[in-house]
Amino acid sequence: MTFSGFPPSAPRLYEDLADDNSKEAWRLRHREVYERDVRAPMDELAAELSAEFAEYGGADGVRVLGPVRDTRMSHDKSPYKTYQGCYLDVLPCLGFWVHLDRDGLYASGRYYPYGGDEVARYRAAVDEEDGGTELAAIVAGLEREGFTIGGDRLKSRPRGVPADHPRLDLLRHRRIDAGRRLGPGPDLSSDRAADFVRETWQLVRPLLDWAAVRGLTPRPRTPDTKGADASS
């Protein structure tokens, strides 16, 4: 099947889930709408994007997430996600993202390190004049294209960073998400929604390339030679 957009009932499903996120409501009212109007078109969109961005995704392609929340470590025990997401990682913790929710379609590029080592390397690259100036120019260009630069960041400045640092805002980031939104309407309900995601992912590539060429993603662990000698 060829992707032809999300019907108006798709974002409306997530409005309904905000009102009633129970398992009973999912079984009786939400599941059929989800499978037909959210999951099926998202699978079609993912297939198209997988073919067009195959140079990044390899055999796995764009991965579509399931609707059930993992509530084991969460205070909020509502069982179902209030969005339908999918992603294509270029490298570990670096890649493309898109999700559908009650406000429409959101597409982005993201750098989301989990470890302190990666965050420290990121901040060192931002602090360095050439690398930091290049990232600032990329971010400014994305903002001119209507992107919002989000992601987890400190409210204050990192330790040891002067208050007048020219790239202080970028240094606050622990993760970066650069994206833009397509709201409900005729474009969301047509194949133009796929064009929106393609264009967004192409525009955000310089940000991902900036992180990739500087080796800011998690590094493979080296063998523990000491442990290997002890067991031999």
Side-chain angles (χ1 to χ4, degrees), residues 15-181:
E15 293 182 6
D16 295 340
L17 271 174
D19 294 332
D20 190 345
N21 201 308
S22 67
K23 292 182 178 180
E24 182 180 12
W26 179 266
R27 179 175 58 84
L28 295 177
R29 299 196 306 274
H30 301 326
R31 182 172 182 174
E32 181 180 355
V33 177
Y34 169 78
E35 295 288 353
R36 182 188 66 233
D37 297 340
V38 175
R39 184 57 187 252
M42 187 62 86
D43 284 340
E44 293 164 1
L45 176 60
E48 290 190 12
L49 294 170
S50 293
E52 295 178 32
F53 290 82
E55 63 182 291
Y56 288 115
D60 290 337
V62 176
R63 306 289 295 274
V64 180
L65 301 176
V68 178
R69 295 181 65 243
D70 183 351
T71 61
R72 289 173 296 179
M73 304 296 291
S74 174
H75 294 296
D76 176 9
K77 299 302 181 182
S78 56
Y80 301 103
K81 296 173 184 174
T82 54
Y83 66 91
Q84 174 59 60
C86 65
Y87 68 95
L88 175 63
D89 273 352
V90 176
L91 291 168
C93 299
L94 181 72
F96 303 102
W97 171 261
V98 61
H99 75 248
L100 178 81
D101 60 18
R102 64 190 300 174
D103 297 316
L105 201 63
Y106 177 79
S108 71
R110 56 184 189 156
Y111 169 58
Y112 55 107
Y114 292 120
D117 290 347
E118 287 82 43
V119 175
R121 294 206 305 274
Y122 160 76
R123 287 183 174 148
V126 175
D127 187 50
E128 189 264 328
E129 186 63 28
D130 289 344
T133 300
E134 181 182 350
L135 178 61
I138 291 170
V139 167
L142 289 172
E143 289 176 329
R144 287 193 295 271
E145 294 286 349
F147 281 71
T148 298
I149 310 302
D152 181 36
R153 55 186 165 188
L154 298 173
K155 294 181 179 179
S156 60
R157 65 182 185 272
R159 185 177 302 173
V161 175
D164 61 349
H165 195 290
R167 294 177 294 281
L168 177 58
D169 190 56
L170 290 173
L171 287 167
R172 287 192 175 110
H173 280 269
R174 288 177 290 217
R175 300 180 183 180
I176 293 182
D177 181 276
R180 57 183 188 165
R181 182 172 286 279

Side-chain angles (χ1 to χ4, degrees), residues 224-232:
D224 186 346
T225 54
K226 183 176 180 179
D229 291 340
S231 62
S232 60

